[in-house]
């Protein structure tokens, strides 16, 4: 089903039913995302995509090589299936001598992510903090720096719908002295994927 089709189901109150149906797919796979959650890709069509995102301490997760603060090259619609998710906006300002971070460009491909330091150095402060719970849907425009935070020890899952915006880039705030590097996406094995599916299903039924 297309991104727009899934969005219509979410708007119509059928998000849980759709997610449960997708979790029964025999070809479902999962990867450890560098931002700390488990990603179960559902649909990809050009610049549009749909994924299920899972935060759980019961599954091993990847660690970011830069920071949790990032911005997307695509517009995001996120629907919380269960748990609590905080959308923490970051106010980023260019800086030189007093800079605390360097902006990295993230280029994703089948083998993972290439993170390249740019010439832009910045400082940031915490801006608006939005708190969302089960059944809530929120949006985030491309090019807006933010982080998605789940309370320590908390469990959460979302439906993430992305729509690419031409001219935008995926960016992350990293260390000032950071260098070009590659991060491989770590696939979950069959047993771990099944455990992720059981975990989400148990919360939705």
């Amino acid at each position: 089903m297309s991104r727009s089709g899934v969005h219509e189901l979410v708007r119509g109150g059928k998000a849980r039913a759709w997610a449960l149906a997708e979790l029964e797919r025999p070809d479902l796979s999962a990867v450890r995302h560098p931002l700390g959650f488990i990603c179960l890709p559902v649909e990809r069509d050009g610049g549009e995509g749909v994924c299920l995102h899972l935060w759980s301490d019961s599954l091993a997760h990847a660690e970011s090589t830069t920071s949790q603060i990032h911005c997307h090259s695509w517009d995001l619609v996120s629907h919380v299936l269960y748990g609590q998710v905080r959308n923490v906006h970051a106010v980023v300002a260019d800086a030189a001598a007093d800079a605390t971070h360097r902006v990295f460009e993230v280029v994703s491909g089948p083998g993972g992510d290439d993170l390249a330091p740019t010439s832009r150095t910045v400082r940031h402060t915490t801006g608006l903090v939005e708190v969302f719970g089960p059944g809530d849907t929120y949006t985030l425009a491309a090019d807006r720096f933010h982080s998605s935070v789940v309370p320590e020890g908390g469990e959460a899952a979302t439906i993430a719908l992305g729509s690419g915006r031409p001219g935008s880039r995926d960016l992350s705030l990293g260390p000032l002295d950071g260098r070009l590097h590659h991060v491989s996406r770590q696939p979950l094995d069959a047993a771990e994927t099944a455990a992720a599916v059981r975990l989400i299903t148990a919360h939705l039924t």
Side-chain angles (χ1 to χ4, degrees), residues 127-186:
L128 176 66
V129 178
E130 302 172 293
V131 181
F132 300 101
D136 290 338
T137 300
Y138 64 94
T139 61
L140 184 74
D143 304 320
R144 295 289 301 273
F145 279 99
H146 81 122
S147 59
S148 298
V149 180
V150 171
E152 186 174 355
E155 302 271 339
T158 65
I159 301 171
L161 303 100
S163 181
R165 182 181 292 187
S168 293
R169 299 184 296 168
D170 293 313
L171 303 174
S172 178
L173 300 191
L176 289 169
D177 59 354
R179 298 187 177 188
L180 173 69
H181 61 285
H182 178 82
V183 177
S184 298
R185 294 289 175 96
Q186 305 170 18

Side-chain angles (χ1 to χ4, degrees), residues 39 41 60 63 66 82 85 92 104 108 120 125 138 159 184:
C39 176
E63 298 290 343
T66 49
Y82 64 84
V85 178
V92 175
F104 282 68
S108 299
R120 185 183 177 192
T125 57
Y138 64 94
I159 301 171
S184 298

